[in-house]
Amino acid sequence: MLLIELAFPAGRDHATAWGRHVNEGIPEWPPSGYRLIRALYDVWKRKLPEWEESRVERLLGMLGTSAPRYRLPSATVSHTRSFLSKNEQDLQSKTLIFDGFVVLSSRATVLMGWPDLTPDSDFLDDLDELLSRLNYLGRSESWIEARTLRGVSGVEWNCFTQSAESVNCEMEIVPVASAIPPHDYKPAAIGRGKTLKHLTWMEAIATGTEVILGAGWSHPPAMRYVDYLRPVNSFAPEVRVNRQRKDSRICSVLYALDSKVPPDVTETLEVAERVRTKLMGIHKRLAGGPQHVSVKFSGKDRSGEPLRDHRHAFYLPLDYNGGGRLDHLLVHCREGFDPLECQALDEFSSLWQGGGRPDVRCIPVHWGGGRSKEKKIFTSATPFVPPRHHRRGRGDFGEWLQAEVARECANHNLPRPARVTAIHELIAKGGRPIRWADFRRNRKQDRAEPRLR
């Protein structure tokens, strides 16, 4: 048996079915034997011109003796729409072009088989040489890797001619372009008078569109349509069972922040408060009233008292690239978010900025569960603001401040710091030094009194 394996590394097969217009968006499936023969002819002419025609004709002629059978993988169909210029004076004049294609896994393969053929090793070696030099099949986007398979038998075909096998499932009839066998081919004539020429089978295989239209033919002279039986669910999407983990909660959402004027890192606290207010407003609308606002978003229970044990959401603006501007935002809650809270997080898409600056787009780029690995080392881009104030009787300011850092670490179940060192200014990677006093240290609009020394 002659068996050819076709793989599409890009996961797409771009080819319009013969007899169809490209704007019908109907891709060819299965890949036709006639198209493969023409592609191998092109490989010979462009990459192996030293081969004699008789050597190539023996290969292509055997492929054209009968219609192959197929084993097709799971696939779906899709298309793109492009508005191409008509090359007219009006620049707005465009032509809509559809590009229909078959989508399949980049690891899936199509098998083409001729069970009645028994080629020798020389034939297979020559065919492998041609197939190895084949870069695409159909349009140039259809990257392909092709080879012969030897010593394989017992293939379960699922696409074949009507007379090839019995039908075991619900099938549909699909016309597929096939080559006319060389012994059945009747030489076609082109031209008139002294220019009259009778095309051989190899010349007919290579006939282009210009010749076909000029001669008034409805299809190429060496091509015929063969009715194939194909499963009706050939393009049904593969259903995969999602085996959810026991802990499938969403605990963290990472947003990318995008704006022509990104917020400055000194506005971290103000931005975090705006995020909290915006999420509370979205959830209020979804839940049906202010009395139902999520306590995780607000940080307060139903009686208005602050939540204990850090069960509320944390809003952490981030400066990933160290340029002194906020470019990401992490919203995290160790208890996880319920479906309605996740919907509010999903609808959170923008953030207002003051001073006439454009809004910040908030794009969710990652949703994390409760089992994600925690980092052991992180760097804060903002100064430490203790929740308690230093006053007389609490000892030296430096020692008190170190004790406050250790106290906050314990509150968040972090190990006690080995060393606490004061830094007098923050140097952003992108440029200017930033003093601690430049940072916003209050959530509301009232002015913060300087308390850092």
Side-chain angles (χ1 to χ4, degrees):
M1 177 175 65
L2 174 59
L3 191 61
I4 295 178
E5 179 187 64
L6 306 178
F8 297 85
R12 291 184 176 187
D13 177 23
H14 293 255
T16 301
W18 287 90
R20 296 284 191 172
H21 190 275
V22 63
N23 274 7
E24 293 184 70
I26 300 178
E28 180 183 74
W29 194 249
S32 68
Y34 181 72
R35 188 181 300 278
L36 178 63
I37 290 175
R38 283 175 57 89
L40 295 178
Y41 184 100
D42 177 72
V43 170
W44 165 49
K45 282 295 187 180
R46 291 192 299 110
K47 300 181 180 180
L48 295 169
E50 68 277 8
W51 282 20
E52 295 182 359
E53 182 174 339
S54 58
R55 183 179 180 181
V56 180
E57 187 173 6
R58 174 173 175 258
L59 299 174
L60 304 187
M62 186 172 289
L63 295 179
T65 54
S66 60
R69 303 180 187 185
Y70 296 89
R71 191 194 71 184
L72 302 176
S74 299
T76 57
V77 290
S78 186
H79 72 274
T80 60
R81 304 183 183 189
S82 303
F83 291 87
L84 305 182
S85 172
K86 290 184 178 180
N87 292 325
E88 297 179 355
Q89 188 174 3
D90 182 8
L91 298 180
Q92 300 299 321
S93 180
K94 305 287 185 180
T95 299
L96 175 60
I97 300 296
F98 282 79
D99 178 13
F101 54 87
V102 176
V103 182
L104 65 161
S105 170
S106 58
R107 297 183 297 274
T109 59
V110 176
L111 295 184
M112 298 178 64
W114 291 260
D116 54 334
L117 298 182
T118 54
D120 55 36
S121 58
D122 291 338
F123 176 95
L124 293 176
D125 290 341
D126 283 351
L127 183 56
D128 261 330
E129 184 68 22
L130 285 176
L131 291 173
S132 67
R133 297 171 183 265
L134 185 62
N135 302 122
Y136 61 91
L137 185 65
R139 288 190 284 278
S140 59
E141 301 92 333
S142 293
W143 301 347
I144 194 169
E145 293 177 352
R147 61 170 181 164
T148 62
L149 296 181
R150 311 186 191 192
V152 178
S153 60
V155 178
E156 295 184 4
W157 310 108
N158 59 3
C159 184
F160 36 78
T161 58
Q162 286 185 280
S163 59
E165 294 188 10
S166 59
V167 180
N168 298 322
C169 60
E170 190 175 355
M171 310 288 278
E172 61 181 347
I173 298 177
V174 180
V176 178
S178 300
I180 296 177
H183 56 269
D184 291 339
Y185 170 72
K186 295 180 180 180
I190 58 173
R192 295 181 180 179
K194 295 182 179 180
T195 61
L196 180 66
K197 181 181 180 181
H198 293 275
L199 301 177
T200 65
W201 186 82
M202 287 287 282
E203 291 172 336
I205 286 294
T207 301
T209 304
E210 182 180 356
V211 174
I212 296 173
L213 295 179
W217 296 330
S218 60
H219 57 79
M223 190 199 84
R224 58 175 178 159
Y225 289 107
V226 176
D227 286 339
Y228 272 75
L229 294 177
R230 186 182 69 186
V232 295
N233 61 348
S234 293
F235 296 132
E238 183 179 359
V239 178
R240 297 183 180 180
V241 179
N242 183 16
R243 302 181 182 275
Q244 293 187 344
R245 301 175 304 179
K246 292 183 180 180
D247 184 6
S248 59
R249 301 172 301 165
I250 296 297
C251 295
S252 303
V253 183
L254 179 66
Y255 296 87
L257 304 183
D258 178 53
S259 177
K260 292 182 179 179
V261 185
D264 195 274
V265 70
T266 59
E267 303 175 72
T268 297
L269 187 60
E270 184 179 3
V271 169
E273 176 62 18
R274 286 179 183 169
V275 173
R276 171 179 174 270
T277 304
K278 183 70 175 286
L279 283 173
M280 289 173 59
I282 296 174
H283 192 269
K284 179 179 69 174
R285 173 176 53 82
L286 296 175
Q291 67 276 16
H292 303 299
V293 171
S294 167
V295 297
K296 298 172 189 174
F297 288 154
S298 67
K300 298 179 180 179
D301 59 23
R302 296 304 178 192
S303 62
E305 294 296 323
L307 292 180
R308 296 184 178 275
D309 300 325
H310 302 288
R311 293 183 291 116
H312 60 83
F314 287 80
Y315 308 99
L316 305 174
L318 306 172
D319 177 19
Y320 264 9
N321 59 17
R325 297 281 182 176
L326 300 177
D327 47 41
H328 283 78
L329 166 72
L330 178 66
V331 181
H332 171 75
C333 182
R334 64 178 58 172
E335 289 194 349
F337 299 105
D338 63 32
L340 198 63
E341 291 165 343
C342 287
Q343 183 177 347
L345 290 165
D346 188 45
E347 293 188 14
F348 174 59
S349 59
S350 64
L351 199 62
W352 174 82
Q353 290 196 97
R357 293 174 296 173
D359 290 354
V360 179
R361 293 179 60 218
C362 304
I363 308 163
V365 294
H366 182 72
W367 297 72
R371 293 186 177 181
S372 58
K373 294 182 179 180
E374 295 182 356
K375 282 191 172 184
K376 301 299 182 183
I377 299 176
F378 62 93
T379 302
S380 173
T382 58
F384 170 68
V385 180
R388 301 191 303 175
H389 302 302
H390 178 259
R391 63 173 182 265
R392 292 180 182 180
R394 288 187 172 176
D396 178 73
F397 177 78
E399 295 177 355
W400 171 83
L401 190 58
Q402 294 186 37
E404 287 297 302
V405 173
R407 180 173 175 271
E408 279 302 299
C409 288
N411 287 341
H412 292 273
N413 297 323
L414 297 175
R416 186 179 181 86
R419 184 177 68 256
V420 178
T421 304
I423 302 175
H424 298 288
E425 62 181 17
L426 171 68
I427 305 297
K429 287 183 179 179
R432 72 188 191 282
I434 306 175
R435 299 181 305 122
W436 298 128
D438 294 336
F439 281 83
R440 182 74 176 269
R441 300 187 300 283
N442 62 315
R443 296 187 298 175
K444 305 299 181 181
Q445 294 299 324
D446 53 315
R447 181 180 177 182
E449 295 296 331
R451 296 185 181 276
L452 297 180
R453 298 182 181 178

